[in-house]
Amino acid sequence: MPTLFVRHEVSDYATWRRVYDAFAPVQKANAVMAEAVYQAADNPNDVTVTHEFATLEAAQAFGKLEELRSAMRTGGVLGAPTVWLTNKAQNDPR
């Protein structure tokens, strides 16, 4: 299952969270199957978000949404986010 990770600093977590929560319908409409939000232990404005998808193509398309970029600006994301895609590792057959 492909997972999109996004890490960024925000100017104010509470403001960012309101915008993130309001973005849920867009996530659902664009194939997000599950999501989670994490804050760094030493900085609540250092946020990492994960979104799970059924396909790599869905994850890539979601990452390119203009609505996503707009929500990030509105939510107070500072600078460029660090973004990476993963696939869940298969069990070692040994």
Side-chain angles (χ1 to χ4, degrees):
M1 177 173 296
T3 302
L4 176 68
F5 286 79
V6 180
R7 182 178 181 195
H8 45 59
E9 188 165 354
V10 299
S11 56
D12 176 70
Y13 177 78
T15 299
W16 175 87
R17 187 63 197 231
R18 281 191 295 278
V19 172
Y20 180 84
D21 290 344
F23 197 68
V26 177
Q27 292 174 351
K28 185 174 183 173
N30 286 277
V32 174
M33 298 173 60
E35 54 80 29
V37 175
Y38 302 87
Q39 292 173 284
D42 61 347
N43 179 1
N45 291 324
D46 181 348
V47 179
T48 299
V49 179
T50 63
H51 295 93
E52 295 181 10
F53 299 86
T55 68
L56 182 59
E57 293 78 15
Q60 291 169 328
F62 180 78
K64 295 177 182 177
L65 289 175
E66 181 53 41
E67 297 99 325
L68 178 60
R69 287 178 178 73
S70 178
M72 291 173 77
R73 284 190 299 270
T74 301
V77 171
L78 303 172
T82 301
V83 179
W84 66 101
L85 276 166
T86 65
N87 282 308
K88 190 169 187 175
Q90 300 299 313
N91 291 336
D92 188 346
R94 288 183 279 164

